[in-house]
Amino acid sequence: MVHCPDCETTLSAESDIDFVEMDSTTGFLAASKRFYVANCAACGATIGSGVAGAKAGGGGGAV
């Protein structure tokens, strides 16, 4: 099992983690990079981060 390092809550379902888009930038060939952090849904502690795949044509913040 995986646990939050701050509050020890078990992270076993998708709903146990909040993914938050932090910033979007448009770069080479107008593809945007989407940066995100993964937070524990119980206490809000940041437990990971990363870059999502580039989205062709920009549109970084568009959902």
PDB file of all heavy atoms in Angstrom, residues 42-63:
ATOM      1  N   ALA A  42      -6.566  14.171   1.354  1.00  0.00           N
ATOM      2  CA  ALA A  42      -6.932  14.266   2.772  1.00  0.00           C
ATOM      3  C   ALA A  42      -6.298  15.472   3.458  1.00  0.00           C
ATOM      4  O   ALA A  42      -6.972  16.190   4.198  1.00  0.00           O
ATOM      5  CB  ALA A  42      -6.535  12.986   3.502  1.00  0.00           C
ATOM      6  N   CYS A  43      -5.003  15.716   3.204  1.00  0.00           N
ATOM      7  CA  CYS A  43      -4.321  16.793   3.938  1.00  0.00           C
ATOM      8  C   CYS A  43      -3.773  17.898   3.038  1.00  0.00           C
ATOM      9  O   CYS A  43      -3.350  18.934   3.522  1.00  0.00           O
ATOM     10  CB  CYS A  43      -3.200  16.224   4.808  1.00  0.00           C
ATOM     11  SG  CYS A  43      -1.751  15.648   3.886  1.00  0.00           S
ATOM     12  N   GLY A  44      -3.731  17.676   1.712  1.00  0.00           N
ATOM     13  CA  GLY A  44      -3.246  18.692   0.783  1.00  0.00           C
ATOM     14  C   GLY A  44      -1.751  18.694   0.565  1.00  0.00           C
ATOM     15  O   GLY A  44      -1.237  19.524  -0.184  1.00  0.00           O
ATOM     16  N   ALA A  45      -1.018  17.782   1.200  1.00  0.00           N
ATOM     17  CA  ALA A  45       0.441  17.733   1.019  1.00  0.00           C
ATOM     18  C   ALA A  45       0.788  17.372  -0.422  1.00  0.00           C
ATOM     19  O   ALA A  45       0.157  16.515  -1.030  1.00  0.00           O
ATOM     20  CB  ALA A  45       1.047  16.699   1.962  1.00  0.00           C
ATOM     21  N   THR A  46       1.783  18.041  -0.975  1.00  0.00           N
ATOM     22  CA  THR A  46       2.261  17.726  -2.316  1.00  0.00           C
ATOM     23  C   THR A  46       3.080  16.450  -2.242  1.00  0.00           C
ATOM     24  O   THR A  46       4.042  16.363  -1.481  1.00  0.00           O
ATOM     25  CB  THR A  46       3.108  18.876  -2.871  1.00  0.00           C
ATOM     26  OG1 THR A  46       2.301  20.050  -2.933  1.00  0.00           O
ATOM     27  CG2 THR A  46       3.631  18.543  -4.265  1.00  0.00           C
ATOM     28  N   ILE A  47       2.694  15.444  -3.037  1.00  0.00           N
ATOM     29  CA  ILE A  47       3.384  14.161  -2.979  1.00  0.00           C
ATOM     30  C   ILE A  47       4.043  13.794  -4.310  1.00  0.00           C
ATOM     31  O   ILE A  47       4.653  12.746  -4.425  1.00  0.00           O
ATOM     32  CB  ILE A  47       2.433  13.035  -2.528  1.00  0.00           C
ATOM     33  CG1 ILE A  47       1.183  12.983  -3.405  1.00  0.00           C
ATOM     34  CG2 ILE A  47       2.047  13.225  -1.072  1.00  0.00           C
ATOM     35  CD1 ILE A  47       0.235  11.862  -3.064  1.00  0.00           C
ATOM     36  N   GLY A  48       3.904  14.657  -5.311  1.00  0.00           N
ATOM     37  CA  GLY A  48       4.548  14.399  -6.589  1.00  0.00           C
ATOM     38  C   GLY A  48       4.314  15.538  -7.557  1.00  0.00           C
ATOM     39  O   GLY A  48       3.492  16.416  -7.313  1.00  0.00           O
ATOM     40  N   SER A  49       5.052  15.536  -8.649  1.00  0.00           N
ATOM     41  CA  SER A  49       4.877  16.550  -9.679  1.00  0.00           C
ATOM     42  C   SER A  49       5.390  15.987 -10.994  1.00  0.00           C
ATOM     43  O   SER A  49       6.040  14.943 -11.020  1.00  0.00           O
ATOM     44  CB  SER A  49       5.642  17.826  -9.322  1.00  0.00           C
ATOM     45  OG  SER A  49       7.023  17.564  -9.265  1.00  0.00           O
ATOM     46  N   GLY A  50       5.084  16.687 -12.078  1.00  0.00           N
ATOM     47  CA  GLY A  50       5.550  16.213 -13.357  1.00  0.00           C
ATOM     48  C   GLY A  50       5.099  17.094 -14.492  1.00  0.00           C
ATOM     49  O   GLY A  50       4.542  18.174 -14.278  1.00  0.00           O
ATOM     50  N   VAL A  51       5.359  16.629 -15.695  1.00  0.00           N
ATOM     51  CA  VAL A  51       4.971  17.332 -16.898  1.00  0.00           C
ATOM     52  C   VAL A  51       4.090  16.402 -17.712  1.00  0.00           C
ATOM     53  O   VAL A  51       4.495  15.287 -18.016  1.00  0.00           O
ATOM     54  CB  VAL A  51       6.215  17.737 -17.734  1.00  0.00           C
ATOM     55  CG1 VAL A  51       5.803  18.444 -19.008  1.00  0.00           C
ATOM     56  CG2 VAL A  51       7.145  18.593 -16.927  1.00  0.00           C
ATOM     57  N   ALA A  52       2.910  16.863 -18.036  1.00  0.00           N
ATOM     58  CA  ALA A  52       2.014  16.057 -18.867  1.00  0.00           C
ATOM     59  C   ALA A  52       2.469  16.148 -20.306  1.00  0.00           C
ATOM     60  O   ALA A  52       3.206  17.069 -20.680  1.00  0.00           O
ATOM     61  CB  ALA A  52       0.577  16.572 -18.726  1.00  0.00           C
ATOM     62  N   GLY A  53       2.029  15.239 -21.138  1.00  0.00           N
ATOM     63  CA  GLY A  53       2.410  15.229 -22.537  1.00  0.00           C
ATOM     64  C   GLY A  53       2.044  16.530 -23.232  1.00  0.00           C
ATOM     65  O   GLY A  53       1.098  17.196 -22.866  1.00  0.00           O
ATOM     66  N   ALA A  54       2.834  16.891 -24.218  1.00  0.00           N
ATOM     67  CA  ALA A  54       2.586  18.125 -24.949  1.00  0.00           C
ATOM     68  C   ALA A  54       1.281  18.008 -25.733  1.00  0.00           C
ATOM     69  O   ALA A  54       0.914  16.954 -26.221  1.00  0.00           O
ATOM     70  CB  ALA A  54       3.739  18.397 -25.895  1.00  0.00           C
ATOM     71  N   LYS A  55       0.591  19.120 -25.819  1.00  0.00           N
ATOM     72  CA  LYS A  55      -0.667  19.177 -26.558  1.00  0.00           C
ATOM     73  C   LYS A  55      -0.416  19.994 -27.819  1.00  0.00           C
ATOM     74  O   LYS A  55      -0.044  21.168 -27.728  1.00  0.00           O
ATOM     75  CB  LYS A  55      -1.734  19.823 -25.678  1.00  0.00           C
ATOM     76  CG  LYS A  55      -3.099  19.861 -26.296  1.00  0.00           C
ATOM     77  CD  LYS A  55      -4.106  20.407 -25.292  1.00  0.00           C
ATOM     78  CE  LYS A  55      -5.478  20.377 -25.880  1.00  0.00           C
ATOM     79  NZ  LYS A  55      -6.484  20.894 -24.934  1.00  0.00           N
ATOM     80  N   ALA A  56      -0.592  19.403 -28.966  1.00  0.00           N
ATOM     81  CA  ALA A  56      -0.324  20.080 -30.231  1.00  0.00           C
ATOM     82  C   ALA A  56      -1.173  21.331 -30.390  1.00  0.00           C
ATOM     83  O   ALA A  56      -2.320  21.375 -29.992  1.00  0.00           O
ATOM     84  CB  ALA A  56      -0.585  19.121 -31.395  1.00  0.00           C
ATOM     85  N   GLY A  57      -0.572  22.367 -30.955  1.00  0.00           N
ATOM     86  CA  GLY A  57      -1.309  23.599 -31.238  1.00  0.00           C
ATOM     87  C   GLY A  57      -1.472  24.508 -30.035  1.00  0.00           C
ATOM     88  O   GLY A  57      -2.295  25.407 -30.048  1.00  0.00           O
ATOM     89  N   GLY A  58      -0.708  24.296 -28.981  1.00  0.00           N
ATOM     90  CA  GLY A  58      -0.833  25.154 -27.809  1.00  0.00           C
ATOM     91  C   GLY A  58      -2.046  24.783 -26.995  1.00  0.00           C
ATOM     92  O   GLY A  58      -2.314  23.617 -26.789  1.00  0.00           O
ATOM     93  N   GLY A  59      -2.807  25.760 -26.537  1.00  0.00           N
ATOM     94  CA  GLY A  59      -4.010  25.500 -25.768  1.00  0.00           C
ATOM     95  C   GLY A  59      -3.715  24.917 -24.407  1.00  0.00           C
ATOM     96  O   GLY A  59      -4.468  24.111 -23.902  1.00  0.00           O
ATOM     97  N   GLY A  60      -2.608  25.343 -23.785  1.00  0.00           N
ATOM     98  CA  GLY A  60      -2.159  24.768 -22.529  1.00  0.00           C
ATOM     99  C   GLY A  60      -3.197  24.674 -21.449  1.00  0.00           C
ATOM    100  O   GLY A  60      -3.307  23.682 -20.770  1.00  0.00           O
ATOM    101  N   GLY A  61      -4.002  25.719 -21.235  1.00  0.00           N
ATOM    102  CA  GLY A  61      -4.967  25.704 -20.148  1.00  0.00           C
ATOM    103  C   GLY A  61      -6.340  25.212 -20.561  1.00  0.00           C
ATOM    104  O   GLY A  61      -7.232  25.077 -19.742  1.00  0.00           O
ATOM    105  N   ALA A  62      -6.543  24.967 -21.827  1.00  0.00           N
ATOM    106  CA  ALA A  62      -7.868  24.555 -22.319  1.00  0.00           C
ATOM    107  C   ALA A  62      -8.214  23.154 -21.868  1.00  0.00           C
ATOM    108  O   ALA A  62      -7.377  22.254 -21.885  1.00  0.00           O
ATOM    109  CB  ALA A  62      -7.907  24.628 -23.838  1.00  0.00           C
ATOM    110  N   VAL A  63      -9.427  22.981 -21.459  1.00  0.00           N
ATOM    111  CA  VAL A  63      -9.890  21.661 -21.035  1.00  0.00           C
ATOM    112  C   VAL A  63     -11.015  21.229 -21.933  1.00  0.00           C
ATOM    113  O   VAL A  63     -11.850  21.966 -22.313  1.00  0.00           O
ATOM    114  CB  VAL A  63     -10.370  21.698 -19.571  1.00  0.00           C
ATOM    115  CG1 VAL A  63     -10.882  20.348 -19.148  1.00  0.00           C
ATOM    116  CG2 VAL A  63      -9.253  22.141 -18.681  1.00  0.00           C
TER     117      VAL A  63
END
